[in-house]
Amino acid sequence: MNSARLVRTAVAAVLAATLLTACSSDGDNDAVPREWIRKTYTATGGDWLDPDSTPSEVAQSIHSKRASADRASGDSMEFLRYGDDMVTVSPHRSGSLIEIEDYRNGYRRHQQHLTSWPNPDSDSFRGGGPGEGK
């Protein structure tokens, strides 16, 4: 009887691990493709760098990997919205700097370029997280 309990425990552990992997942020269709960005671009502290491409090219590459909910541009920068996060791609020397941040913070920093995006401080804003705004 102990072996049956051991088998059930092992099966439950495998199922739990599979569910956790499937629910990770990179598996969400509306989440920033963080792992892909980490693997594709050069880390510079908390941000990433593409030394050769324009912000428009980098933003298109990220959007092609996982489609953003919305996209905007201004002052040579590109903005991609993913649920409650956003990606900002800005010029950096000869290439582009990629920043991932919380939508609310990013919106506050760049709201002059995000005129068609919902204001996260408005009553009508519904974030992107599970159960958010319900």
Side-chain angles (χ1 to χ4, degrees):
M1 186 125 122
N2 279 340
S3 64
R5 180 179 289 169
L6 183 60
V7 169
R8 282 193 300 255
T9 301
V11 168
V14 169
L15 287 173
T18 302
L19 286 172
L20 286 173
T21 301
C23 293
S24 70
S25 65
D26 238 22
D28 294 343
N29 286 338
D30 65 344
V32 174
R34 292 175 193 271
E35 192 60 34
W36 181 83
I37 290 172
R38 284 186 191 114
K39 291 177 183 176
T40 305
Y41 302 103
T42 304
T44 60
D47 302 322
W48 296 268
L49 182 65
D50 181 319
D52 303 316
S53 304
T54 67
S56 180
E57 292 168 334
V58 172
Q60 184 56 46
S61 206
I62 294 169
H63 179 78
S64 294
K65 177 61 181 168
R66 182 164 303 135
S68 58
D70 206 349
R71 184 171 173 176
S73 59
D75 283 343
S76 302
M77 295 184 286
E78 296 287 328
F79 307 95
L80 301 169
R81 184 164 62 97
Y82 292 90
D84 57 357
D85 292 316
M86 72 180 278
V87 176
T88 302
V89 187
S90 55
H92 183 76
R93 295 187 190 130
S94 65
S96 297
L97 182 68
I98 304 156
E99 300 173 89
I100 301 172
E101 62 187 316
D102 177 72
Y103 178 73
R104 187 175 306 276
N105 295 334
Y107 183 89
R108 287 182 185 140
R109 282 180 55 203
H110 304 289
Q111 64 185 340
Q112 70 273 19
H113 306 297
L114 308 175
T115 56
S116 66
W117 289 15
N119 183 336
D121 294 326
S122 75
D123 290 337
S124 62
F125 179 72
R126 292 176 52 118
E132 191 86 16
K134 292 180 181 175

